Amino acid sequence: MQGRIINLNGGVYQVKVDTGEIKSLRARGKLRFVETLQVNPNSLSKKEEYQIIKNSPKVGDLVLVDEEFILSILERKNELVRPDIANVDQILLVFAAKEPDFSFYLLDLFLVNILKNRIQPIIVVTKIDKLTTRELEELKAKLTYYEALGYKVFYVNSKLKIGIEEVAHCLQGKITVLSGQTGAGKSTLINALFPDFSLKTQEISQALGRGKHTTRQTTLYSYHGGYIGDTPGFSKLDILGINKKELSLWFEDFHSYSCQFKDCLHQRNAKNCGVYQAVLDHKLLSSRYDSYLKMLDQLMKEEKR
């Protein structure tokens, strides 16, 4: 039988098989090899080493199973480490318009981390009622830049369910994970999208013996022909697996501007740098360029260490 893993708890996987039944299974021995890794030794201390279960199943995996075990994992199209999930179609990046203030740097940092994992980002701006009409129009004007790059941007008031229908439509038939700015109202958004969500999480928690639901592990919940992932989120926003020369590859708007030197880092006042000139000519969003420089500075400091 084939199925999809929707939860992992204490070495027991909940697998939804093709018939719709959910089976509690363990992984066959060959799928439980463990090794300790540091994803980026330059940015993580020894205390931040953690275990990755190599070749082991993840939530989101398509697997072949029998009545007792997960036998094998089908090929993944992508995978994340934190949260530990595979085969994600898209990530809803949830940012507050205010309280906390919208952060373009955090948005750009999330985008770099998501794009390098080849996952589609969707930007959702919550708490739009906290802004004046003029403030909201100014924010929308800046975010049209991201829409021009091909990203979907939605504006919602979760409590009044303004904009919720549009967001729900883009989730149909997809595996979607929510992440984004702390305090942006991800829980309120997910409850607006999925009114039975609290009930479902309580049912899962009781079934797994967890008591009151807390997001300590990843669970997939069926939603409109797809799944919504309730995950612990990105616990540490490092620029993992990228060096200073590769960083600009994940700023796709930089690609239209060429430099005389192939190894140009696009820093301020760089000679014959097409990217820096595009900023001066107001062709590139200045906050976007500032985000790039801040990340570049972080990577350069880590390399020196």
Side-chain angles (χ1 to χ4, degrees):
M1 282 182 291
Q2 182 174 317
R4 186 182 298 276
I5 298 173
I6 61 171
N7 179 268
L8 165 62
N9 184 51
V12 177
Y13 297 86
Q14 304 295 315
V15 181
K16 187 174 183 179
V17 296
D18 291 339
T19 62
E21 181 186 0
I22 297 177
K23 294 181 175 291
S24 296
L25 306 172
R26 292 188 177 273
R28 181 161 277 182
K30 66 180 181 180
L31 300 178
R32 297 201 302 267
F33 177 77
V34 178
E35 67 175 2
T36 299
L37 290 181
Q38 281 183 285
V39 171
N40 186 345
N42 293 322
S43 65
L44 298 177
S45 70
K46 291 182 180 179
K47 291 182 180 180
E48 291 174 302
E49 289 184 346
Y50 58 92
Q51 287 187 327
I52 292 178
I53 305 176
K54 187 176 181 181
N55 296 326
S56 73
K58 292 175 179 274
V59 172
D61 270 330
L62 290 171
V63 292
L64 296 179
V65 305
D66 61 18
E67 292 300 323
E68 295 184 69
F69 296 103
I70 294 172
L71 304 174
S72 60
I73 305 165
L74 301 184
E75 185 177 358
R76 294 168 178 157
K77 67 178 181 181
N78 58 49
E79 61 180 302
L80 296 170
V81 174
R82 292 174 291 180
D84 206 21
I85 189 170
N87 298 317
V88 175
D89 293 313
Q90 55 193 17
I91 293 182
L92 287 192
L93 285 178
V94 185
F95 281 76
K98 197 171 186 178
E99 297 179 10
D101 291 340
F102 192 96
S103 170
F104 280 94
Y105 172 69
L106 274 181
L107 172 61
D108 292 326
L109 184 54
F110 271 107
L111 288 174
V112 166
N113 278 280
I114 291 168
L115 292 173
K116 71 182 177 62
N117 284 293
R118 294 174 176 80
I119 300 172
Q120 178 66 40
I122 297 173
I123 302 166
V124 179
V125 182
T126 62
K127 303 184 184 181
I128 58 174
D129 55 306
K130 300 289 185 182
L131 297 182
T132 65
T133 301
R134 181 177 177 179
E135 288 172 333
L136 182 57
E137 289 304 315
E138 289 175 351
L139 179 58
K140 285 183 175 181
K142 288 184 179 180
L143 285 172
T144 56
Y145 184 89
Y146 291 83
E147 291 179 288
L149 293 177
Y151 303 129
K152 293 178 181 177
V153 182
F154 296 100
Y155 300 87
V156 305
N157 179 333
S158 299
K159 292 181 179 179
L160 297 181
K161 296 198 173 181
I162 296 171
I164 293 299
E165 187 175 339
E166 291 84 354
V167 176
H169 180 73
C170 79
L171 304 184
Q172 294 180 10
K174 304 286 187 181
I175 296 181
T176 306
V177 171
L178 276 74
S179 196
Q181 186 181 27
T182 302
K186 291 185 285 294
S187 296
T188 307
L189 173 63
I190 202 171
N191 280 309
L193 289 165
F194 190 178
D196 294 332
F197 181 71
S198 295
L199 180 61
K200 291 289 185 184
T201 56
Q202 289 170 18
E203 289 174 354
I204 292 288
S205 296
Q206 289 171 4
L208 300 177
R210 269 196 262 155
K212 187 176 179 180
H213 172 72
T214 54
T215 310
R216 294 176 182 172
Q217 54 194 269
T218 300
T219 302
L220 293 179
Y221 297 91
S222 295
Y223 184 82
H224 289 240
Y227 293 92
I228 290 181
D230 181 31
T231 79
F234 295 97
S235 58
K236 188 176 177 65
L237 271 178
D238 283 327
I239 313 169
L240 300 177
I242 298 175
N243 63 46
K244 64 183 181 183
K245 293 182 180 179
E246 297 170 337
L247 179 61
S248 64
L249 296 177
W250 305 108
F251 284 77
E252 63 271 40
D253 40 339
F254 287 16
H255 301 172
S256 300
Y257 307 101
S258 59
C259 301
Q260 181 175 335
F261 304 104
K262 289 184 178 180
D263 58 350
C264 181
L265 295 179
H266 314 307
Q267 294 167 290
R268 294 191 193 280
N269 301 314
K271 199 170 184 180
N272 299 315
C273 175
V275 171
Y276 180 60
Q277 187 60 49
V279 176
L280 297 179
D281 295 339
H282 305 289
K283 294 178 181 178
L284 281 175
L285 192 66
S286 60
S287 63
R288 179 98 163 137
Y289 181 64
D290 290 342
S291 294
Y292 167 78
L293 291 180
K294 188 172 181 179
M295 291 181 219
L296 179 65
D297 182 62
Q298 177 186 336
L299 291 174
M300 294 175 75
K301 286 178 179 177
E302 288 173 354
E303 286 187 12
K304 286 182 179 179
R305 292 195 198 108

mmCIF file of all heavy atoms in Angstrom, residues 127-167:
data_model
loop_
_atom_site.group_PDB
_atom_site.id
_atom_site.type_symbol
_atom_site.label_atom_id
_atom_site.label_comp_id
_atom_site.label_asym_id
_atom_site.label_seq_id
_atom_site.Cartn_x
_atom_site.Cartn_y
_atom_site.Cartn_z
ATOM 1 N N LYS A 127 -3.667 41.704 10.248
ATOM 2 C CA LYS A 127 -3.915 42.885 11.096
ATOM 3 C C LYS A 127 -3.980 44.172 10.284
ATOM 4 O O LYS A 127 -3.494 45.228 10.724
ATOM 5 C CB LYS A 127 -2.845 42.996 12.187
ATOM 6 C CG LYS A 127 -2.723 41.774 13.076
ATOM 7 C CD LYS A 127 -1.713 42.006 14.199
ATOM 8 C CE LYS A 127 -1.498 40.771 15.036
ATOM 9 N NZ LYS A 127 -0.531 40.976 16.146
ATOM 10 N N ILE A 128 -4.575 44.105 9.096
ATOM 11 C CA ILE A 128 -4.645 45.305 8.252
ATOM 12 C C ILE A 128 -5.509 46.380 8.876
ATOM 13 O O ILE A 128 -5.403 47.565 8.520
ATOM 14 C CB ILE A 128 -5.143 44.968 6.834
ATOM 15 C CG1 ILE A 128 -6.517 44.294 6.884
ATOM 16 C CG2 ILE A 128 -4.126 44.100 6.104
ATOM 17 C CD1 ILE A 128 -7.137 44.074 5.509
ATOM 18 N N ASP A 129 -6.359 45.999 9.828
ATOM 19 C CA ASP A 129 -7.206 46.975 10.518
ATOM 20 C C ASP A 129 -6.404 47.875 11.453
ATOM 21 O O ASP A 129 -6.905 48.910 11.902
ATOM 22 C CB ASP A 129 -8.291 46.253 11.319
ATOM 23 C CG ASP A 129 -7.725 45.224 12.290
ATOM 24 O OD1 ASP A 129 -6.948 44.352 11.836
ATOM 25 O OD2 ASP A 129 -8.040 45.289 13.490
ATOM 26 N N LYS A 130 -5.161 47.503 11.734
ATOM 27 C CA LYS A 130 -4.310 48.303 12.630
ATOM 28 C C LYS A 130 -3.697 49.516 11.922
ATOM 29 O O LYS A 130 -3.124 50.397 12.573
ATOM 30 C CB LYS A 130 -3.179 47.429 13.191
ATOM 31 C CG LYS A 130 -3.631 46.216 13.987
ATOM 32 C CD LYS A 130 -4.218 46.586 15.324
ATOM 33 C CE LYS A 130 -4.542 45.352 16.147
ATOM 34 N NZ LYS A 130 -5.155 45.698 17.450
ATOM 35 N N LEU A 131 -3.796 49.552 10.587
ATOM 36 C CA LEU A 131 -3.214 50.650 9.816
ATOM 37 C C LEU A 131 -4.303 51.631 9.375
ATOM 38 O O LEU A 131 -5.453 51.247 9.164
ATOM 39 C CB LEU A 131 -2.502 50.124 8.574
ATOM 40 C CG LEU A 131 -1.295 49.202 8.765
ATOM 41 C CD1 LEU A 131 -0.716 48.831 7.405
ATOM 42 C CD2 LEU A 131 -0.230 49.861 9.636
ATOM 43 N N THR A 132 -3.906 52.878 9.213
ATOM 44 C CA THR A 132 -4.799 53.847 8.580
ATOM 45 C C THR A 132 -4.867 53.520 7.088
ATOM 46 O O THR A 132 -4.037 52.759 6.562
ATOM 47 C CB THR A 132 -4.288 55.279 8.762
ATOM 48 O OG1 THR A 132 -3.027 55.415 8.057
ATOM 49 C CG2 THR A 132 -4.077 55.613 10.236
ATOM 50 N N THR A 133 -5.840 54.089 6.410
ATOM 51 C CA THR A 133 -5.972 53.852 4.971
ATOM 52 C C THR A 133 -4.698 54.253 4.240
ATOM 53 O O THR A 133 -4.210 53.533 3.351
ATOM 54 C CB THR A 133 -7.157 54.649 4.400
ATOM 55 O OG1 THR A 133 -8.351 54.235 5.078
ATOM 56 C CG2 THR A 133 -7.318 54.402 2.906
ATOM 57 N N ARG A 134 -4.109 55.379 4.638
ATOM 58 C CA ARG A 134 -2.889 55.853 3.981
ATOM 59 C C ARG A 134 -1.717 54.911 4.251
ATOM 60 O O ARG A 134 -0.944 54.594 3.338
ATOM 61 C CB ARG A 134 -2.549 57.258 4.471
ATOM 62 C CG ARG A 134 -1.300 57.839 3.819
ATOM 63 C CD ARG A 134 -1.042 59.250 4.289
ATOM 64 N NE ARG A 134 0.186 59.786 3.725
ATOM 65 C CZ ARG A 134 0.651 61.014 3.962
ATOM 66 N NH1 ARG A 134 -0.028 61.844 4.754
ATOM 67 N NH2 ARG A 134 1.776 61.430 3.423
ATOM 68 N N GLU A 135 -1.588 54.460 5.513
ATOM 69 C CA GLU A 135 -0.486 53.549 5.862
ATOM 70 C C GLU A 135 -0.600 52.238 5.097
ATOM 71 O O GLU A 135 0.405 51.685 4.629
ATOM 72 C CB GLU A 135 -0.499 53.278 7.363
ATOM 73 C CG GLU A 135 -0.046 54.449 8.218
ATOM 74 C CD GLU A 135 -0.249 54.205 9.703
ATOM 75 O OE1 GLU A 135 -1.155 53.418 10.070
ATOM 76 O OE2 GLU A 135 0.491 54.802 10.519
ATOM 77 N N LEU A 136 -1.819 51.730 4.954
ATOM 78 C CA LEU A 136 -2.018 50.477 4.232
ATOM 79 C C LEU A 136 -1.672 50.635 2.756
ATOM 80 O O LEU A 136 -1.044 49.755 2.161
ATOM 81 C CB LEU A 136 -3.468 50.003 4.384
ATOM 82 C CG LEU A 136 -3.814 48.667 3.707
ATOM 83 C CD1 LEU A 136 -2.909 47.548 4.209
ATOM 84 C CD2 LEU A 136 -5.281 48.318 3.943
ATOM 85 N N GLU A 137 -2.056 51.763 2.172
ATOM 86 C CA GLU A 137 -1.732 52.002 0.759
ATOM 87 C C GLU A 137 -0.224 52.106 0.552
ATOM 88 O O GLU A 137 0.306 51.629 -0.455
ATOM 89 C CB GLU A 137 -2.425 53.278 0.268
ATOM 90 C CG GLU A 137 -3.932 53.150 0.123
ATOM 91 C CD GLU A 137 -4.334 52.006 -0.791
ATOM 92 O OE1 GLU A 137 -3.721 51.859 -1.870
ATOM 93 O OE2 GLU A 137 -5.248 51.242 -0.421
ATOM 94 N N GLU A 138 0.488 52.704 1.518
ATOM 95 C CA GLU A 138 1.946 52.814 1.416
ATOM 96 C C GLU A 138 2.601 51.429 1.499
ATOM 97 O O GLU A 138 3.554 51.136 0.767
ATOM 98 C CB GLU A 138 2.481 53.718 2.530
ATOM 99 C CG GLU A 138 2.136 55.197 2.333
ATOM 100 C CD GLU A 138 2.567 56.059 3.515
ATOM 101 O OE1 GLU A 138 2.980 55.481 4.561
ATOM 102 O OE2 GLU A 138 2.491 57.301 3.404
ATOM 103 N N LEU A 139 2.087 50.574 2.390
ATOM 104 C CA LEU A 139 2.623 49.216 2.506
ATOM 105 C C LEU A 139 2.348 48.426 1.230
ATOM 106 O O LEU A 139 3.234 47.734 0.713
ATOM 107 C CB LEU A 139 2.006 48.509 3.710
ATOM 108 C CG LEU A 139 2.445 47.056 3.948
ATOM 109 C CD1 LEU A 139 3.956 46.959 4.133
ATOM 110 C CD2 LEU A 139 1.716 46.466 5.151
ATOM 111 N N LYS A 140 1.133 48.553 0.709
ATOM 112 C CA LYS A 140 0.782 47.847 -0.531
ATOM 113 C C LYS A 140 1.663 48.302 -1.692
ATOM 114 O O LYS A 140 2.062 47.491 -2.539
ATOM 115 C CB LYS A 140 -0.689 48.081 -0.867
ATOM 116 C CG LYS A 140 -1.661 47.296 0.005
ATOM 117 C CD LYS A 140 -3.108 47.524 -0.454
ATOM 118 C CE LYS A 140 -4.077 46.658 0.324
ATOM 119 N NZ LYS A 140 -5.474 46.839 -0.114
ATOM 120 N N ALA A 141 1.984 49.593 -1.730
ATOM 121 C CA ALA A 141 2.825 50.120 -2.811
ATOM 122 C C ALA A 141 4.205 49.460 -2.783
ATOM 123 O O ALA A 141 4.763 49.114 -3.833
ATOM 124 C CB ALA A 141 2.950 51.633 -2.678
ATOM 125 N N LYS A 142 4.762 49.266 -1.580
ATOM 126 C CA LYS A 142 6.072 48.614 -1.473
ATOM 127 C C LYS A 142 5.986 47.133 -1.849
ATOM 128 O O LYS A 142 6.889 46.584 -2.484
ATOM 129 C CB LYS A 142 6.621 48.752 -0.045
ATOM 130 C CG LYS A 142 7.078 50.160 0.306
ATOM 131 C CD LYS A 142 7.689 50.202 1.695
ATOM 132 C CE LYS A 142 8.182 51.589 2.054
ATOM 133 N NZ LYS A 142 8.777 51.644 3.408
ATOM 134 N N LEU A 143 4.889 46.494 -1.457
ATOM 135 C CA LEU A 143 4.760 45.059 -1.715
ATOM 136 C C LEU A 143 4.389 44.744 -3.161
ATOM 137 O O LEU A 143 4.488 43.587 -3.582
ATOM 138 C CB LEU A 143 3.736 44.448 -0.752
ATOM 139 C CG LEU A 143 4.253 44.280 0.687
ATOM 140 C CD1 LEU A 143 3.126 43.865 1.621
ATOM 141 C CD2 LEU A 143 5.388 43.246 0.749
ATOM 142 N N THR A 144 3.994 45.749 -3.927
ATOM 143 C CA THR A 144 3.779 45.509 -5.363
ATOM 144 C C THR A 144 5.088 45.092 -6.033
ATOM 145 O O THR A 144 5.086 44.410 -7.060
ATOM 146 C CB THR A 144 3.210 46.744 -6.085
ATOM 147 O OG1 THR A 144 4.082 47.862 -5.868
ATOM 148 C CG2 THR A 144 1.811 47.082 -5.590
ATOM 149 N N TYR A 145 6.211 45.510 -5.451
ATOM 150 C CA TYR A 145 7.526 45.099 -5.958
ATOM 151 C C TYR A 145 7.645 43.578 -5.915
ATOM 152 O O TYR A 145 8.150 42.947 -6.849
ATOM 153 C CB TYR A 145 8.623 45.754 -5.123
ATOM 154 C CG TYR A 145 10.033 45.482 -5.605
ATOM 155 C CD1 TYR A 145 10.641 46.306 -6.537
ATOM 156 C CD2 TYR A 145 10.752 44.387 -5.128
ATOM 157 C CE1 TYR A 145 11.937 46.061 -6.986
ATOM 158 C CE2 TYR A 145 12.039 44.131 -5.560
ATOM 159 C CZ TYR A 145 12.629 44.970 -6.489
ATOM 160 O OH TYR A 145 13.901 44.707 -6.925
ATOM 161 N N TYR A 146 7.185 42.974 -4.799
ATOM 162 C CA TYR A 146 7.260 41.522 -4.642
ATOM 163 C C TYR A 146 6.247 40.822 -5.554
ATOM 164 O O TYR A 146 6.530 39.734 -6.070
ATOM 165 C CB TYR A 146 7.032 41.144 -3.180
ATOM 166 C CG TYR A 146 8.173 41.576 -2.289
ATOM 167 C CD1 TYR A 146 8.245 42.877 -1.797
ATOM 168 C CD2 TYR A 146 9.204 40.696 -1.960
ATOM 169 C CE1 TYR A 146 9.297 43.284 -0.999
ATOM 170 C CE2 TYR A 146 10.261 41.085 -1.162
ATOM 171 C CZ TYR A 146 10.315 42.388 -0.690
ATOM 172 O OH TYR A 146 11.366 42.797 0.081
ATOM 173 N N GLU A 147 5.107 41.444 -5.746
ATOM 174 C CA GLU A 147 4.132 40.887 -6.687
ATOM 175 C C GLU A 147 4.709 40.863 -8.102
ATOM 176 O O GLU A 147 4.475 39.923 -8.865
ATOM 177 C CB GLU A 147 2.838 41.698 -6.635
ATOM 178 C CG GLU A 147 2.082 41.535 -5.324
ATOM 179 C CD GLU A 147 0.811 42.354 -5.273
ATOM 180 O OE1 GLU A 147 0.915 43.606 -5.164
ATOM 181 O OE2 GLU A 147 -0.273 41.769 -5.349
ATOM 182 N N ALA A 148 5.482 41.903 -8.451
ATOM 183 C CA ALA A 148 6.115 41.959 -9.770
ATOM 184 C C ALA A 148 7.157 40.851 -9.935
ATOM 185 O O ALA A 148 7.448 40.422 -11.054
ATOM 186 C CB ALA A 148 6.759 43.328 -9.985
ATOM 187 N N LEU A 149 7.705 40.359 -8.802
ATOM 188 C CA LEU A 149 8.661 39.245 -8.841
ATOM 189 C C LEU A 149 7.939 37.903 -8.984
ATOM 190 O O LEU A 149 8.588 36.872 -9.141
ATOM 191 C CB LEU A 149 9.521 39.228 -7.577
ATOM 192 C CG LEU A 149 10.500 40.393 -7.387
ATOM 193 C CD1 LEU A 149 11.225 40.260 -6.054
ATOM 194 C CD2 LEU A 149 11.497 40.473 -8.529
ATOM 195 N N GLY A 150 6.608 37.930 -8.894
ATOM 196 C CA GLY A 150 5.829 36.705 -9.086
ATOM 197 C C GLY A 150 5.232 36.115 -7.829
ATOM 198 O O GLY A 150 4.631 35.037 -7.873
ATOM 199 N N TYR A 151 5.370 36.806 -6.686
ATOM 200 C CA TYR A 151 4.822 36.296 -5.435
ATOM 201 C C TYR A 151 3.383 36.754 -5.251
ATOM 202 O O TYR A 151 3.052 37.914 -5.511
ATOM 203 C CB TYR A 151 5.652 36.776 -4.235
ATOM 204 C CG TYR A 151 7.104 36.402 -4.305
ATOM 205 C CD1 TYR A 151 8.096 37.351 -4.116
ATOM 206 C CD2 TYR A 151 7.491 35.090 -4.569
ATOM 207 C CE1 TYR A 151 9.443 37.016 -4.194
ATOM 208 C CE2 TYR A 151 8.824 34.744 -4.642
ATOM 209 C CZ TYR A 151 9.792 35.712 -4.454
ATOM 210 O OH TYR A 151 11.114 35.367 -4.531
ATOM 211 N N LYS A 152 2.538 35.853 -4.760
ATOM 212 C CA LYS A 152 1.177 36.225 -4.394
ATOM 213 C C LYS A 152 1.217 36.935 -3.041
ATOM 214 O O LYS A 152 1.918 36.501 -2.129
ATOM 215 C CB LYS A 152 0.285 34.994 -4.310
ATOM 216 C CG LYS A 152 0.042 34.312 -5.643
ATOM 217 C CD LYS A 152 -0.829 33.070 -5.457
ATOM 218 C CE LYS A 152 -1.055 32.374 -6.793
ATOM 219 N NZ LYS A 152 -1.842 31.126 -6.639
ATOM 220 N N VAL A 153 0.455 38.019 -2.923
ATOM 221 C CA VAL A 153 0.373 38.764 -1.666
ATOM 222 C C VAL A 153 -1.103 38.943 -1.313
ATOM 223 O O VAL A 153 -1.887 39.410 -2.137
ATOM 224 C CB VAL A 153 1.052 40.145 -1.763
ATOM 225 C CG1 VAL A 153 0.991 40.861 -0.417
ATOM 226 C CG2 VAL A 153 2.502 40.015 -2.228
ATOM 227 N N PHE A 154 -1.470 38.535 -0.090
ATOM 228 C CA PHE A 154 -2.846 38.668 0.375
ATOM 229 C C PHE A 154 -2.877 39.568 1.612
ATOM 230 O O PHE A 154 -1.961 39.536 2.444
ATOM 231 C CB PHE A 154 -3.437 37.302 0.726
ATOM 232 C CG PHE A 154 -3.562 36.380 -0.452
ATOM 233 C CD1 PHE A 154 -2.614 35.385 -0.675
ATOM 234 C CD2 PHE A 154 -4.619 36.488 -1.329
ATOM 235 C CE1 PHE A 154 -2.721 34.523 -1.757
ATOM 236 C CE2 PHE A 154 -4.738 35.629 -2.417
ATOM 237 C CZ PHE A 154 -3.790 34.652 -2.633
ATOM 238 N N TYR A 155 -3.948 40.322 1.750
ATOM 239 C CA TYR A 155 -4.147 41.207 2.887
ATOM 240 C C TYR A 155 -5.398 40.755 3.628
ATOM 241 O O TYR A 155 -6.486 40.683 3.035
ATOM 242 C CB TYR A 155 -4.294 42.657 2.417
ATOM 243 C CG TYR A 155 -3.075 43.159 1.668
ATOM 244 C CD1 TYR A 155 -2.950 42.963 0.289
ATOM 245 C CD2 TYR A 155 -2.036 43.799 2.336
ATOM 246 C CE1 TYR A 155 -1.823 43.397 -0.395
ATOM 247 C CE2 TYR A 155 -0.908 44.236 1.656
ATOM 248 C CZ TYR A 155 -0.810 44.035 0.292
ATOM 249 O OH TYR A 155 0.308 44.461 -0.381
ATOM 250 N N VAL A 156 -5.255 40.430 4.934
ATOM 251 C CA VAL A 156 -6.378 39.850 5.654
ATOM 252 C C VAL A 156 -6.604 40.497 7.019
ATOM 253 O O VAL A 156 -5.685 41.039 7.631
ATOM 254 C CB VAL A 156 -6.185 38.322 5.858
ATOM 255 C CG1 VAL A 156 -5.937 37.617 4.536
ATOM 256 C CG2 VAL A 156 -5.065 38.020 6.830
ATOM 257 N N ASN A 157 -7.846 40.413 7.450
ATOM 258 C CA ASN A 157 -8.241 40.664 8.833
ATOM 259 C C ASN A 157 -8.867 39.356 9.295
ATOM 260 O O ASN A 157 -10.009 39.058 8.956
ATOM 261 C CB ASN A 157 -9.244 41.822 8.915
ATOM 262 C CG ASN A 157 -9.699 42.108 10.344
ATOM 263 O OD1 ASN A 157 -9.709 41.221 11.192
ATOM 264 N ND2 ASN A 157 -10.085 43.348 10.599
ATOM 265 N N SER A 158 -8.095 38.552 10.019
ATOM 266 C CA SER A 158 -8.531 37.188 10.349
ATOM 267 C C SER A 158 -9.783 37.174 11.212
ATOM 268 O O SER A 158 -10.651 36.312 11.045
ATOM 269 C CB SER A 158 -7.395 36.439 11.067
ATOM 270 O OG SER A 158 -6.264 36.341 10.241
ATOM 271 N N LYS A 159 -9.886 38.124 12.151
ATOM 272 C CA LYS A 159 -11.035 38.123 13.055
ATOM 273 C C LYS A 159 -12.337 38.398 12.320
ATOM 274 O O LYS A 159 -13.376 37.826 12.628
ATOM 275 C CB LYS A 159 -10.810 39.151 14.167
ATOM 276 C CG LYS A 159 -9.685 38.755 15.127
ATOM 277 C CD LYS A 159 -9.493 39.779 16.226
ATOM 278 C CE LYS A 159 -8.376 39.333 17.165
ATOM 279 N NZ LYS A 159 -8.131 40.334 18.242
ATOM 280 N N LEU A 160 -12.293 39.293 11.324
ATOM 281 C CA LEU A 160 -13.492 39.610 10.540
ATOM 282 C C LEU A 160 -13.575 38.777 9.264
ATOM 283 O O LEU A 160 -14.493 38.940 8.470
ATOM 284 C CB LEU A 160 -13.501 41.102 10.191
ATOM 285 C CG LEU A 160 -13.586 42.081 11.371
ATOM 286 C CD1 LEU A 160 -13.600 43.520 10.872
ATOM 287 C CD2 LEU A 160 -14.807 41.799 12.235
ATOM 288 N N LYS A 161 -12.577 37.920 9.063
ATOM 289 C CA LYS A 161 -12.497 37.028 7.900
ATOM 290 C C LYS A 161 -12.445 37.785 6.575
ATOM 291 O O LYS A 161 -12.895 37.285 5.546
ATOM 292 C CB LYS A 161 -13.648 36.024 7.917
ATOM 293 C CG LYS A 161 -13.580 35.078 9.118
ATOM 294 C CD LYS A 161 -14.429 33.840 8.934
ATOM 295 C CE LYS A 161 -14.181 32.857 10.071
ATOM 296 N NZ LYS A 161 -14.968 31.621 9.930
ATOM 297 N N ILE A 162 -11.859 38.967 6.606
ATOM 298 C CA ILE A 162 -11.631 39.728 5.376
ATOM 299 C C ILE A 162 -10.403 39.154 4.675
ATOM 300 O O ILE A 162 -9.333 39.041 5.263
ATOM 301 C CB ILE A 162 -11.424 41.227 5.687
ATOM 302 C CG1 ILE A 162 -12.688 41.826 6.290
ATOM 303 C CG2 ILE A 162 -11.016 41.997 4.431
ATOM 304 C CD1 ILE A 162 -12.501 43.238 6.831
ATOM 305 N N GLY A 163 -10.555 38.758 3.413
ATOM 306 C CA GLY A 163 -9.448 38.208 2.642
ATOM 307 C C GLY A 163 -9.213 36.728 2.855
ATOM 308 O O GLY A 163 -8.372 36.123 2.172
ATOM 309 N N ILE A 164 -9.949 36.107 3.770
ATOM 310 C CA ILE A 164 -9.733 34.692 4.104
ATOM 311 C C ILE A 164 -10.104 33.775 2.932
ATOM 312 O O ILE A 164 -9.406 32.797 2.651
ATOM 313 C CB ILE A 164 -10.533 34.303 5.364
ATOM 314 C CG1 ILE A 164 -9.973 35.044 6.585
ATOM 315 C CG2 ILE A 164 -10.499 32.801 5.589
ATOM 316 C CD1 ILE A 164 -8.530 34.725 6.906
ATOM 317 N N GLU A 165 -11.192 34.105 2.250
ATOM 318 C CA GLU A 165 -11.641 33.257 1.142
ATOM 319 C C GLU A 165 -10.588 33.163 0.049
ATOM 320 O O GLU A 165 -10.360 32.095 -0.526
ATOM 321 C CB GLU A 165 -12.948 33.807 0.560
ATOM 322 C CG GLU A 165 -13.589 32.910 -0.475
ATOM 323 C CD GLU A 165 -14.941 33.408 -0.943
ATOM 324 O OE1 GLU A 165 -15.574 34.203 -0.221
ATOM 325 O OE2 GLU A 165 -15.364 32.996 -2.040
ATOM 326 N N GLU A 166 -9.917 34.288 -0.243
ATOM 327 C CA GLU A 166 -8.876 34.297 -1.277
ATOM 328 C C GLU A 166 -7.691 33.424 -0.870
ATOM 329 O O GLU A 166 -7.121 32.693 -1.696
ATOM 330 C CB GLU A 166 -8.406 35.727 -1.541
ATOM 331 C CG GLU A 166 -9.423 36.624 -2.229
ATOM 332 C CD GLU A 166 -10.412 37.245 -1.252
ATOM 333 O OE1 GLU A 166 -10.387 36.885 -0.047
ATOM 334 O OE2 GLU A 166 -11.212 38.098 -1.701
ATOM 335 N N VAL A 167 -7.307 33.494 0.414
ATOM 336 C CA VAL A 167 -6.201 32.666 0.892
ATOM 337 C C VAL A 167 -6.591 31.190 0.837
ATOM 338 O O VAL A 167 -5.807 30.343 0.383
ATOM 339 C CB VAL A 167 -5.802 33.056 2.335
ATOM 340 C CG1 VAL A 167 -4.704 32.125 2.860
ATOM 341 C CG2 VAL A 167 -5.315 34.497 2.384
#
